[in-house]
Amino acid sequence: AGQRGYYIVQFGGPILQEWRDALAATGAEILAYLPDFAYKVRMNPGEVNRVQGVPGVVWMGLFQPAYKLSPNLKLAGENVYRVRLEQGVNAGLAQAAIASSGADVLQRDGDVLVVAANGGQVAAIAQVADVAWIENMVLKQRHNESGAGLIIGAATANANGYDGSTQIAAVADTGLGDDTTDGAHPDIPASRIVAIFDRATTSLRRCYTAYPNGAKDEESGHGTHVAVSVVGDGDATGVGKGSAPAARLVFQAVEDYVDMFGQCSIYADGYYLLGLPDDMKQLFQQAYDAGARVHSNSWGSAAAGDYTLDSANTDTFVWQHRDMLISFSAGNEGIDANADGVVDNDSIGSPATAKNVLTVGASENARPGGYPCDTGLPYTSHDLYQPNTTCAGMGGQNLLGTYGQRWGADYPANPIASDLTAGNAGQMAAFSSRGPTDDGRIKPDVVAPGTWILSGYSNQHQEAYGGAIDPLTSGYQMDGWGMPYNSSYKYFGGTSMSNPIAAGGATVVRDFYQKAHGLNASAALVKATLINSAVDMLDENNDGADDNDFPIPNVHEGWGRINLAAATDNSASFVDQTGGLATNGVATYAYNAAGGAPFKVTLVWSDYPSTETAAKNLVNDLDLEVTAPSGTVYRGNVFGGGWSQGGGSFDRTNNVENVYVNGAQAGTWTVTVRGYNVASGPQPFALVVDGGSPSTPPTPTPTPVVPTPTPTATATPAPGVVIHVGDLDGSASGRSNRWTASVTVLVRDSNEAPVAGIGVAGTWGGVTNGGGSCTTGADGTCSVSKSNIRSTGTATFSVTALSGSSVTYNAGANHDPDGDSNGTTIGVANP
């Protein structure tokens, strides 16, 4: 009777807040939203009976073990998997239950386990109640198989004073120069580097042995290249200048060399991005705590449009930290498998499939000065298209080649096969991954130049510039595409290169809002601004004709190529709504248009995270509706020929909605945002409107707008505040026969805001005993420790009381998002 299990509870339509509140009041824990109009919940049989009487409930059923299995799970033989535990469970007990199946738990990172198992064991793992999801372990890969300044308008934005100087951008990649602030790159002076974090790879039993190298950028130079594209200030002539040349940098090095064996022997020995955590929130949190509000990621796994564990965790972080814009490269999986001359759909990588990120595809570069190389280089090019040829032998210019010449098997048919890999800024890079996502969302969001990008050259292992051979690979650093420009710059191509240009662009947009409006812009507003000002490219199919065969939105370019000059010209109106809408809530705005010019409206919201199980990943569904002075109604994302069409149905898939009207009628336009189904709200949003000025101050209708608590803000206890434990973290130090166990407790209120000034009391158990207490500080946390523990094994700490002025402790709400405790008791193993 007391055992808590997992169920699906479905309502009869869009979920009202009072229905959700009534469900929670039964004692059931709401864990995730499932379409349509349902929740995954945890409850015992008594609570099941009470839920039957909740208003709006039309169906209940068990959450079956089969729902936990990724559709593309490999089950033949023994494989390595990632297993996510449900939030708030006792991770130790769940891990023991998994091990009892015969599977080998190789590693635990928060609520994610790395497990070696065969098909039969996978079936048994799915039967463990507290297991939420099982997917194949796939290694992340780099997406690198004049763009910033000219093509995307960064030079104009920079000249107008928007250069990123108020901002800190983060880059997670292979490494940065020689692992020092002075030796990062000449274009990134030490004074603009906030921090360089080395996220070292840990050897994984039965898989690989790691050889950490600090934050050095040794084998590919990929990390230095992308970092300079974001924040580099260029040489005296402007070569290598990034989009945000005055921004500061936080760098997270995540690559190390590993020897593969056992279950991982399907991979070759080499450098891999294994410093990336299984829980992506940890990566973003480190950068956020260092002050970064834009995070650039030029890597991912080939997911063919699937919404994965990494996607869900990334969405979770943005939902909890709404002022950080995270960008991801779309991937380099674009091919023409059916040989029809058009790149195939459905190849977006993960976490680029996340809803709340800016997903960036690659268009072609077009440098006015061509693609010169260093004629003093004595060796022949390593580029497969220009073999046995020196730079001087090529006349000092790299040979571009066509897509067919370079990758003939992937692009066997015209017009792609015969198209040069650079030279036309209105064309797509053939290799750029195409959308949509598996649930039909429009991806990529935008594109930026990603072929033959000239940017920073790492100072490690440079061939012919005095570098030593890398002892781990017995080779030099990659030259990139073609041959280097000089010892400071080289060319690379891939969505790895387009993403940092766009991330630098996002940094410039945040700088614009800070300088021009004194605003700490939300991720949704930055994303909406970049989308609203993007350019619809005219030759996406690379046939040489500017006939716009694929008008926006499309699976190739999404909403178009970014345009920083337009994004920062202060011509658009905007709303950054930190409050939110509930189901049936309405916000209305009015704008005056002079007539004759385009009237463009973009609505973006950072949506509540979905779950890997869901077939459609939109949780909170808002609707955009624009009414012309004549009464014609336009709905979000109803497009034809690149422009909005009247009528049509509301979008039930995307958390980006646009209405673009060409040659808009003069008069007052009404913009309405409605909450159709807000399952986990209230839902904040951002609006950008270009082509009209507000006729009244852009304030939503006050009644339906519900204030949204800032998840990272500190709350001072007020009368009647209900508090609970929101996180428990443990650590051990010392020697195994005389060690110290420490536990950090985070206290939150019912809105999940941290609470200061709360007394925490608890008891130690396991291999030690006694009591412990502390008082939460400004961030809602405090720590207790037990020292001189002489027994090996696990010490436990259980919270027995939370106390403070005019507060109520609700122990039933205790939880732990990391999954390493049940929110009340945590175990700390001896070191």
PDB file of all heavy atoms in Angstrom, residues 275-299:
ATOM      1  N   GLY A 275      35.594  14.777 -21.653  1.00  0.00           N
ATOM      2  CA  GLY A 275      35.446  15.619 -20.477  1.00  0.00           C
ATOM      3  C   GLY A 275      34.051  16.202 -20.350  1.00  0.00           C
ATOM      4  O   GLY A 275      33.731  16.829 -19.331  1.00  0.00           O
ATOM      5  N   LEU A 276      33.208  16.005 -21.368  1.00  0.00           N
ATOM      6  CA  LEU A 276      31.813  16.432 -21.280  1.00  0.00           C
ATOM      7  C   LEU A 276      31.082  15.553 -20.273  1.00  0.00           C
ATOM      8  O   LEU A 276      31.184  14.334 -20.325  1.00  0.00           O
ATOM      9  CB  LEU A 276      31.137  16.333 -22.645  1.00  0.00           C
ATOM     10  CG  LEU A 276      31.635  17.304 -23.714  1.00  0.00           C
ATOM     11  CD1 LEU A 276      31.100  16.904 -25.081  1.00  0.00           C
ATOM     12  CD2 LEU A 276      31.228  18.730 -23.370  1.00  0.00           C
ATOM     13  N   PRO A 277      30.340  16.139 -19.345  1.00  0.00           N
ATOM     14  CA  PRO A 277      29.650  15.326 -18.334  1.00  0.00           C
ATOM     15  C   PRO A 277      28.438  14.610 -18.921  1.00  0.00           C
ATOM     16  O   PRO A 277      27.888  15.030 -19.950  1.00  0.00           O
ATOM     17  CB  PRO A 277      29.221  16.363 -17.298  1.00  0.00           C
ATOM     18  CG  PRO A 277      29.047  17.620 -18.087  1.00  0.00           C
ATOM     19  CD  PRO A 277      30.099  17.581 -19.167  1.00  0.00           C
ATOM     20  N   ASP A 278      28.022  13.535 -18.279  1.00  0.00           N
ATOM     21  CA  ASP A 278      26.789  12.868 -18.696  1.00  0.00           C
ATOM     22  C   ASP A 278      25.575  13.744 -18.408  1.00  0.00           C
ATOM     23  O   ASP A 278      24.563  13.640 -19.094  1.00  0.00           O
ATOM     24  CB  ASP A 278      26.652  11.519 -17.986  1.00  0.00           C
ATOM     25  CG  ASP A 278      27.636  10.492 -18.520  1.00  0.00           C
ATOM     26  OD1 ASP A 278      27.691  10.325 -19.754  1.00  0.00           O
ATOM     27  OD2 ASP A 278      28.367   9.888 -17.727  1.00  0.00           O
ATOM     28  N   ASP A 279      25.673  14.571 -17.381  1.00  0.00           N
ATOM     29  CA  ASP A 279      24.622  15.538 -17.083  1.00  0.00           C
ATOM     30  C   ASP A 279      25.094  16.901 -17.581  1.00  0.00           C
ATOM     31  O   ASP A 279      25.929  17.554 -16.954  1.00  0.00           O
ATOM     32  CB  ASP A 279      24.352  15.589 -15.581  1.00  0.00           C
ATOM     33  CG  ASP A 279      23.214  16.534 -15.217  1.00  0.00           C
ATOM     34  OD1 ASP A 279      22.747  17.276 -16.105  1.00  0.00           O
ATOM     35  OD2 ASP A 279      22.799  16.540 -14.048  1.00  0.00           O
ATOM     36  N   MET A 280      24.583  17.346 -18.729  1.00  0.00           N
ATOM     37  CA  MET A 280      25.046  18.572 -19.363  1.00  0.00           C
ATOM     38  C   MET A 280      24.843  19.810 -18.493  1.00  0.00           C
ATOM     39  O   MET A 280      25.522  20.831 -18.666  1.00  0.00           O
ATOM     40  CB  MET A 280      24.327  18.781 -20.702  1.00  0.00           C
ATOM     41  CG  MET A 280      24.791  17.842 -21.784  1.00  0.00           C
ATOM     42  SD  MET A 280      26.548  18.082 -22.146  1.00  0.00           S
ATOM     43  CE  MET A 280      26.886  16.598 -23.066  1.00  0.00           C
ATOM     44  N   LYS A 281      23.916  19.744 -17.549  1.00  0.00           N
ATOM     45  CA  LYS A 281      23.669  20.906 -16.699  1.00  0.00           C
ATOM     46  C   LYS A 281      24.926  21.299 -15.931  1.00  0.00           C
ATOM     47  O   LYS A 281      25.150  22.479 -15.634  1.00  0.00           O
ATOM     48  CB  LYS A 281      22.526  20.614 -15.725  1.00  0.00           C
ATOM     49  CG  LYS A 281      21.183  20.330 -16.399  1.00  0.00           C
ATOM     50  CD  LYS A 281      20.038  20.291 -15.409  1.00  0.00           C
ATOM     51  CE  LYS A 281      20.146  19.167 -14.401  1.00  0.00           C
ATOM     52  NZ  LYS A 281      19.999  17.837 -15.040  1.00  0.00           N
ATOM     53  N   GLN A 282      25.778  20.323 -15.604  1.00  0.00           N
ATOM     54  CA  GLN A 282      27.011  20.625 -14.872  1.00  0.00           C
ATOM     55  C   GLN A 282      27.950  21.482 -15.703  1.00  0.00           C
ATOM     56  O   GLN A 282      28.607  22.395 -15.190  1.00  0.00           O
ATOM     57  CB  GLN A 282      27.694  19.319 -14.467  1.00  0.00           C
ATOM     58  CG  GLN A 282      26.876  18.437 -13.541  1.00  0.00           C
ATOM     59  CD  GLN A 282      27.532  17.087 -13.308  1.00  0.00           C
ATOM     60  OE1 GLN A 282      28.693  16.882 -13.658  1.00  0.00           O
ATOM     61  NE2 GLN A 282      26.791  16.164 -12.731  1.00  0.00           N
ATOM     62  N   LEU A 283      28.029  21.203 -17.001  1.00  0.00           N
ATOM     63  CA  LEU A 283      28.883  21.982 -17.898  1.00  0.00           C
ATOM     64  C   LEU A 283      28.421  23.429 -17.949  1.00  0.00           C
ATOM     65  O   LEU A 283      29.225  24.370 -17.788  1.00  0.00           O
ATOM     66  CB  LEU A 283      28.851  21.367 -19.300  1.00  0.00           C
ATOM     67  CG  LEU A 283      29.668  22.077 -20.372  1.00  0.00           C
ATOM     68  CD1 LEU A 283      31.150  21.787 -20.196  1.00  0.00           C
ATOM     69  CD2 LEU A 283      29.201  21.653 -21.770  1.00  0.00           C
ATOM     70  N   PHE A 284      27.140  23.627 -18.163  1.00  0.00           N
ATOM     71  CA  PHE A 284      26.604  24.975 -18.301  1.00  0.00           C
ATOM     72  C   PHE A 284      26.671  25.736 -16.985  1.00  0.00           C
ATOM     73  O   PHE A 284      26.915  26.944 -16.972  1.00  0.00           O
ATOM     74  CB  PHE A 284      25.173  24.920 -18.834  1.00  0.00           C
ATOM     75  CG  PHE A 284      25.033  24.139 -20.108  1.00  0.00           C
ATOM     76  CD1 PHE A 284      24.035  23.176 -20.249  1.00  0.00           C
ATOM     77  CD2 PHE A 284      25.896  24.338 -21.169  1.00  0.00           C
ATOM     78  CE1 PHE A 284      23.905  22.445 -21.412  1.00  0.00           C
ATOM     79  CE2 PHE A 284      25.781  23.611 -22.349  1.00  0.00           C
ATOM     80  CZ  PHE A 284      24.772  22.669 -22.460  1.00  0.00           C
ATOM     81  N   GLN A 285      26.449  25.029 -15.866  1.00  0.00           N
ATOM     82  CA  GLN A 285      26.459  25.696 -14.570  1.00  0.00           C
ATOM     83  C   GLN A 285      27.841  26.261 -14.252  1.00  0.00           C
ATOM     84  O   GLN A 285      27.960  27.366 -13.704  1.00  0.00           O
ATOM     85  CB  GLN A 285      26.034  24.722 -13.464  1.00  0.00           C
ATOM     86  CG  GLN A 285      25.831  25.391 -12.103  1.00  0.00           C
ATOM     87  CD  GLN A 285      24.634  26.317 -12.103  1.00  0.00           C
ATOM     88  OE1 GLN A 285      23.520  25.916 -12.434  1.00  0.00           O
ATOM     89  NE2 GLN A 285      24.844  27.579 -11.742  1.00  0.00           N
ATOM     90  N   GLN A 286      28.891  25.513 -14.592  1.00  0.00           N
ATOM     91  CA  GLN A 286      30.252  25.996 -14.341  1.00  0.00           C
ATOM     92  C   GLN A 286      30.501  27.312 -15.075  1.00  0.00           C
ATOM     93  O   GLN A 286      31.057  28.265 -14.501  1.00  0.00           O
ATOM     94  CB  GLN A 286      31.270  24.943 -14.790  1.00  0.00           C
ATOM     95  CG  GLN A 286      32.712  25.312 -14.504  1.00  0.00           C
ATOM     96  CD  GLN A 286      33.686  24.270 -15.018  1.00  0.00           C
ATOM     97  OE1 GLN A 286      33.635  23.849 -16.177  1.00  0.00           O
ATOM     98  NE2 GLN A 286      34.580  23.815 -14.143  1.00  0.00           N
ATOM     99  N   ALA A 287      30.086  27.397 -16.317  1.00  0.00           N
ATOM    100  CA  ALA A 287      30.274  28.622 -17.094  1.00  0.00           C
ATOM    101  C   ALA A 287      29.384  29.740 -16.578  1.00  0.00           C
ATOM    102  O   ALA A 287      29.802  30.906 -16.510  1.00  0.00           O
ATOM    103  CB  ALA A 287      29.983  28.343 -18.567  1.00  0.00           C
ATOM    104  N   TYR A 288      28.153  29.405 -16.218  1.00  0.00           N
ATOM    105  CA  TYR A 288      27.214  30.409 -15.706  1.00  0.00           C
ATOM    106  C   TYR A 288      27.745  31.024 -14.420  1.00  0.00           C
ATOM    107  O   TYR A 288      27.703  32.251 -14.226  1.00  0.00           O
ATOM    108  CB  TYR A 288      25.853  29.752 -15.466  1.00  0.00           C
ATOM    109  CG  TYR A 288      24.748  30.722 -15.109  1.00  0.00           C
ATOM    110  CD1 TYR A 288      23.939  31.266 -16.105  1.00  0.00           C
ATOM    111  CD2 TYR A 288      24.496  31.076 -13.791  1.00  0.00           C
ATOM    112  CE1 TYR A 288      22.909  32.145 -15.788  1.00  0.00           C
ATOM    113  CE2 TYR A 288      23.478  31.962 -13.463  1.00  0.00           C
ATOM    114  CZ  TYR A 288      22.690  32.494 -14.470  1.00  0.00           C
ATOM    115  OH  TYR A 288      21.682  33.379 -14.147  1.00  0.00           O
ATOM    116  N   ASP A 289      28.271  30.186 -13.538  1.00  0.00           N
ATOM    117  CA  ASP A 289      28.813  30.683 -12.269  1.00  0.00           C
ATOM    118  C   ASP A 289      30.019  31.591 -12.480  1.00  0.00           C
ATOM    119  O   ASP A 289      30.323  32.442 -11.638  1.00  0.00           O
ATOM    120  CB  ASP A 289      29.207  29.512 -11.361  1.00  0.00           C
ATOM    121  CG  ASP A 289      28.005  28.740 -10.840  1.00  0.00           C
ATOM    122  OD1 ASP A 289      26.883  29.270 -10.916  1.00  0.00           O
ATOM    123  OD2 ASP A 289      28.188  27.605 -10.360  1.00  0.00           O
ATOM    124  N   ALA A 290      30.711  31.412 -13.616  1.00  0.00           N
ATOM    125  CA  ALA A 290      31.854  32.265 -13.942  1.00  0.00           C
ATOM    126  C   ALA A 290      31.423  33.551 -14.646  1.00  0.00           C
ATOM    127  O   ALA A 290      32.276  34.364 -15.016  1.00  0.00           O
ATOM    128  CB  ALA A 290      32.845  31.503 -14.815  1.00  0.00           C
ATOM    129  N   GLY A 291      30.120  33.737 -14.848  1.00  0.00           N
ATOM    130  CA  GLY A 291      29.601  34.977 -15.416  1.00  0.00           C
ATOM    131  C   GLY A 291      29.167  34.915 -16.858  1.00  0.00           C
ATOM    132  O   GLY A 291      28.669  35.903 -17.397  1.00  0.00           O
ATOM    133  N   ALA A 292      29.339  33.779 -17.522  1.00  0.00           N
ATOM    134  CA  ALA A 292      28.977  33.682 -18.944  1.00  0.00           C
ATOM    135  C   ALA A 292      27.459  33.674 -19.110  1.00  0.00           C
ATOM    136  O   ALA A 292      26.750  33.024 -18.344  1.00  0.00           O
ATOM    137  CB  ALA A 292      29.573  32.421 -19.552  1.00  0.00           C
ATOM    138  N   ARG A 293      26.982  34.355 -20.153  1.00  0.00           N
ATOM    139  CA  ARG A 293      25.563  34.358 -20.466  1.00  0.00           C
ATOM    140  C   ARG A 293      25.294  33.951 -21.918  1.00  0.00           C
ATOM    141  O   ARG A 293      24.149  33.967 -22.369  1.00  0.00           O
ATOM    142  CB  ARG A 293      24.952  35.724 -20.166  1.00  0.00           C
ATOM    143  CG  ARG A 293      24.934  36.064 -18.668  1.00  0.00           C
ATOM    144  CD  ARG A 293      24.102  35.072 -17.870  1.00  0.00           C
ATOM    145  NE  ARG A 293      24.061  35.373 -16.448  1.00  0.00           N
ATOM    146  CZ  ARG A 293      24.897  34.863 -15.542  1.00  0.00           C
ATOM    147  NH1 ARG A 293      25.856  34.014 -15.924  1.00  0.00           N
ATOM    148  NH2 ARG A 293      24.782  35.181 -14.271  1.00  0.00           N
ATOM    149  N   VAL A 294      26.357  33.593 -22.647  1.00  0.00           N
ATOM    150  CA  VAL A 294      26.246  32.937 -23.945  1.00  0.00           C
ATOM    151  C   VAL A 294      27.197  31.754 -23.898  1.00  0.00           C
ATOM    152  O   VAL A 294      28.335  31.883 -23.432  1.00  0.00           O
ATOM    153  CB  VAL A 294      26.616  33.876 -25.104  1.00  0.00           C
ATOM    154  CG1 VAL A 294      26.673  33.107 -26.421  1.00  0.00           C
ATOM    155  CG2 VAL A 294      25.627  35.035 -25.215  1.00  0.00           C
ATOM    156  N   HIS A 295      26.731  30.585 -24.364  1.00  0.00           N
ATOM    157  CA  HIS A 295      27.553  29.378 -24.293  1.00  0.00           C
ATOM    158  C   HIS A 295      27.586  28.730 -25.663  1.00  0.00           C
ATOM    159  O   HIS A 295      26.556  28.322 -26.199  1.00  0.00           O
ATOM    160  CB  HIS A 295      26.974  28.399 -23.268  1.00  0.00           C
ATOM    161  CG  HIS A 295      27.947  27.365 -22.793  1.00  0.00           C
ATOM    162  ND1 HIS A 295      28.338  26.306 -23.569  1.00  0.00           N
ATOM    163  CD2 HIS A 295      28.608  27.224 -21.618  1.00  0.00           C
ATOM    164  CE1 HIS A 295      29.200  25.560 -22.887  1.00  0.00           C
ATOM    165  NE2 HIS A 295      29.380  26.103 -21.699  1.00  0.00           N
ATOM    166  N   SER A 296      28.800  28.639 -26.258  1.00  0.00           N
ATOM    167  CA  SER A 296      28.971  28.151 -27.629  1.00  0.00           C
ATOM    168  C   SER A 296      29.482  26.717 -27.627  1.00  0.00           C
ATOM    169  O   SER A 296      30.482  26.402 -26.981  1.00  0.00           O
ATOM    170  CB  SER A 296      29.972  29.054 -28.359  1.00  0.00           C
ATOM    171  OG  SER A 296      30.251  28.559 -29.645  1.00  0.00           O
ATOM    172  N   ASN A 297      28.819  25.850 -28.411  1.00  0.00           N
ATOM    173  CA  ASN A 297      29.150  24.424 -28.447  1.00  0.00           C
ATOM    174  C   ASN A 297      29.178  23.935 -29.888  1.00  0.00           C
ATOM    175  O   ASN A 297      28.137  23.850 -30.537  1.00  0.00           O
ATOM    176  CB  ASN A 297      28.120  23.621 -27.651  1.00  0.00           C
ATOM    177  CG  ASN A 297      28.024  24.094 -26.214  1.00  0.00           C
ATOM    178  OD1 ASN A 297      28.761  23.648 -25.348  1.00  0.00           O
ATOM    179  ND2 ASN A 297      27.105  25.016 -25.947  1.00  0.00           N
ATOM    180  N   SER A 298      30.386  23.602 -30.373  1.00  0.00           N
ATOM    181  CA  SER A 298      30.561  23.134 -31.752  1.00  0.00           C
ATOM    182  C   SER A 298      30.830  21.638 -31.768  1.00  0.00           C
ATOM    183  O   SER A 298      31.837  21.173 -32.290  1.00  0.00           O
ATOM    184  CB  SER A 298      31.710  23.898 -32.411  1.00  0.00           C
ATOM    185  OG  SER A 298      31.362  25.245 -32.602  1.00  0.00           O
ATOM    186  N   TRP A 299      29.923  20.873 -31.212  1.00  0.00           N
ATOM    187  CA  TRP A 299      30.077  19.432 -31.097  1.00  0.00           C
ATOM    188  C   TRP A 299      28.700  18.815 -30.867  1.00  0.00           C
ATOM    189  O   TRP A 299      27.728  19.513 -30.634  1.00  0.00           O
ATOM    190  CB  TRP A 299      31.025  19.065 -29.938  1.00  0.00           C
ATOM    191  CG  TRP A 299      30.710  19.784 -28.650  1.00  0.00           C
ATOM    192  CD1 TRP A 299      31.265  20.946 -28.200  1.00  0.00           C
ATOM    193  CD2 TRP A 299      29.725  19.421 -27.674  1.00  0.00           C
ATOM    194  NE1 TRP A 299      30.695  21.331 -27.012  1.00  0.00           N
ATOM    195  CE2 TRP A 299      29.764  20.409 -26.658  1.00  0.00           C
ATOM    196  CE3 TRP A 299      28.837  18.358 -27.548  1.00  0.00           C
ATOM    197  CZ2 TRP A 299      28.924  20.364 -25.541  1.00  0.00           C
ATOM    198  CZ3 TRP A 299      27.993  18.314 -26.423  1.00  0.00           C
ATOM    199  CH2 TRP A 299      28.060  19.298 -25.436  1.00  0.00           C
TER     200      TRP A 299
END
